[in-house]
């Protein structure tokens, strides 16, 4: 569910702020999103607020989860994605395989 929600934010169909857990402050949330997605800016939801509210209701219905549960899942997903980005950035490139010609 967390990954689905992240993709909906990236697709500008759900505002990032709507999926922020209450325990995470706005600046930390935005920084986490940007770093986890290797982006330099935040996506802007393309839908008007009335449609956004309906989208969030449909998302809860489709996933069978409450909004607070989805927010926690998005948070966990973004933390995992950020760790992957960090891990990939600290790895040394591997040497290409050398093929011997006969």
């Amino acid at each position: 569910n967390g990954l689905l929600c992240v993709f909906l934010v990236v697709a500008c169909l759900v505002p990032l702020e709507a999926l922020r857990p209450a325990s995470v402050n706005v600046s930390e949330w935005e920084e986490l999103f940007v770093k986890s997605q290797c982006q330099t800016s935040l996506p802007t939801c393309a839908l008007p607020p009335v449609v956004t509210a309906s989208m969030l209701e449909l998302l809860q219905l489709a996933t069978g989860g409450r909004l607070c549960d989805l927010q926690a899942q998005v948070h966990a997903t973004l933390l995992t994605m950020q760790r992957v980005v960090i891990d990939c950035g600290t790895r040394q490139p591997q040497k290409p395989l050398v093929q011997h010609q006969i």
Side-chain angles (χ1 to χ4, degrees):
N1 291 340
L3 196 53
L4 170 64
C5 292
V6 169
F7 288 156
L8 290 172
V9 171
V10 171
C12 301
L13 296 175
V14 172
L16 176 63
E17 177 59 25
L19 297 173
R20 179 180 62 85
S23 61
V24 180
N25 75 44
V26 175
S27 61
E28 288 175 358
W29 183 243
E30 291 175 350
E31 182 179 351
L32 174 61
F33 183 85
V34 168
K35 287 183 176 179
S36 71
Q37 301 302 302
C38 299
Q39 299 293 317
T40 57
S41 62
L42 296 169
T44 302
C45 185
L47 303 177
V50 173
V51 178
T52 298
S54 295
M55 251 326 240
L56 290 171
E57 289 177 21
L58 287 171
L59 185 57
Q60 291 173 81
L61 183 63
T63 60
R66 297 174 303 163
L67 184 58
C68 62
D69 297 329
L70 293 173
Q71 290 168 332
Q73 292 166 1
V74 172
H75 188 223
T77 300
L78 291 177
L79 288 170
T80 300
M81 293 174 86
Q82 182 183 37
R83 279 193 295 274
V84 169
V85 168
I86 291 169
D87 288 348
C88 288
T90 58
R91 288 190 182 157
Q92 297 296 322
Q94 294 185 0
K95 295 179 182 178
L97 296 175
V98 178
Q99 294 182 355
H100 298 282
Q101 294 182 351
I102 298 178

